[in-house]
Amino acid sequence: MLRALDLRFRYRDDGLWVVDGASLAVKPGEAVAIMGPSGTGKTTLLHLLCGLFLPVEGEVWLQGAQLSAFSDRARSRIRLERFGFVFQFGELVPELTVLENVALPLMLAGRPRREAERRARDQLDALGVGRYGSRRVAEISGGEAQRVAIARALVHDPDVVLADEPTGALDEATSERVIESLVDPTVRGNTALVVATHDSLVAEAMDRVLVLVDGMLKER
Ligand SMILES: Nc1ncnc2c1ncn2[C@@H]1O[C@H](COP(=O)(O)OP(=O)(O)O)[C@@H](O)[C@H]1O
Ligand SMILES: [Mg+2]
């Protein structure tokens, strides 16, 4: 589904390599953790995997297509339609209801509102947060917000979900529910999952754990 070959990236032409020979292959439905302490380049790597950054060297392939072959505009479109994102603090839109937040990726992709809201409702139900649809983001807890964020990441049936420290702001008990939601194959279907985390609870729940060391990914 998603393949990265020998990626190298640095933020400045004369800077240190943050990503330095990282390779990765994730199959449909597979869940992979990328571990490493803060500052090792996990977020940078996720940005490379979705074409937000282009590598200085190396290639990222989404199914049969190499991301760097597309224009910025086409890559934005690919991110919108074929990727889902979960961030540390949920990053839901506070002005919208829970249902509207989850419907948003479908609306942005041009789906009619009725269809978008129906699919959003189904996705919220699948994650056990269907009853919060009409609430504002400020009226749900951090753990609930993270499950809503997962619903939003999955609602358009993307090829890949990228999650960056999805439990970073949660306590252990709440994290467990969020992790269950992320790994549940009945919820995720064929969507591949790549999670950057330094939470070993998250890592243990994934199919595979890779460690980012000196800019390279190693099997643990
Ligand atoms: N926009 C940026 N410009 C310059 N350096 C950056 C930028 N973002 C991150 N870095 C540096 O790149 C390294 C990796 O950061 P990051 O990918 O955020 O690591 P992690 O997600 O593992 O904490 C760090 O040394 C960080 O300071
Ligand atoms: Mg990070």
Side-chain angles (χ1 to χ4, degrees), residues 42-43 164-165:
K42 300 181 299 298
T43 297
D164 197 356
E165 309 277 5

Side-chain angles (χ1 to χ4, degrees), residues 11 18 37-44:
Y11 284 95
V18 175
S38 183
T40 48
K42 300 181 299 298
T43 297
T44 305

Side-chain angles (χ1 to χ4, degrees), residues 1-2 49-50 61-67 70 74-85 105 109 153-154 156-162 190-192:
M1 184 69 80
L2 183 69
L49 292 179
C50 67
W61 293 79
L62 179 64
Q63 296 185 321
Q66 193 185 334
L67 293 186
F70 295 97
R75 276 185 281 113
S76 302
R77 195 80 207 163
I78 288 170
R79 271 194 298 283
L80 193 62
E81 292 179 352
R82 302 182 59 190
F83 284 88
F85 298 91
L154 286 168
H156 56 306
D157 197 20
D159 293 328
V160 182
V161 165
L162 302 178
N190 264 340
T191 298

Side-chain angles (χ1 to χ4, degrees), residues 137-200:
V137 174
E139 297 164 352
I140 57 175
S141 73
E144 287 155 3
Q146 243 1 12
R147 278 146 71 206
V148 171
I150 294 167
R152 182 186 55 185
L154 286 168
V155 73
H156 56 306
D157 197 20
D159 293 328
V160 182
V161 165
L162 302 178
D164 197 356
E165 309 277 5
T167 61
L170 305 177
D171 60 52
E172 201 167 297
T174 312
S175 291
E176 277 176 22
R177 295 225 50 189
V178 169
I179 294 163
E180 279 169 28
S181 302
L182 270 175
V183 296
D184 188 342
T186 61
V187 173
R188 218 175 64 246
N190 264 340
T191 298
L193 172 66
V194 180
V195 191
T197 186
H198 52 243
D199 182 346
S200 53

Side-chain angles (χ1 to χ4, degrees), residues 45-144:
L45 184 61
L46 294 185
H47 288 169
L48 289 166
L49 292 179
C50 67
L52 199 56
F53 296 163
L54 292 178
V56 177
E57 291 173 30
E59 300 167 1
V60 178
W61 293 79
L62 179 64
Q63 296 185 321
Q66 193 185 334
L67 293 186
S68 54
F70 295 97
S71 67
D72 284 359
R73 202 185 152 91
R75 276 185 281 113
S76 302
R77 195 80 207 163
I78 288 170
R79 271 194 298 283
L80 193 62
E81 292 179 352
R82 302 182 59 190
F83 284 88
F85 298 91
V86 182
F87 305 97
Q88 180 171 356
F89 297 105
E91 320 272 5
L92 300 171
V93 183
E95 290 79 12
L96 301 180
T97 65
V98 163
L99 185 72
E100 286 164 347
N101 265 280
V102 178
L104 195 59
L106 294 165
M107 302 283 291
L108 291 173
R111 309 309 306 166
R113 176 179 281 269
R114 276 175 68 94
E115 179 200 326
E117 294 197 342
R118 178 180 49 76
R119 287 172 64 179
R121 205 169 285 117
D122 289 348
Q123 193 68 61
L124 285 165
D125 283 342
L127 286 161
V129 282
R131 64 191 173 285
Y132 305 129
S134 60
R135 291 205 201 169
R136 305 264 153 193
V137 174
E139 297 164 352
I140 57 175
S141 73
E144 287 155 3

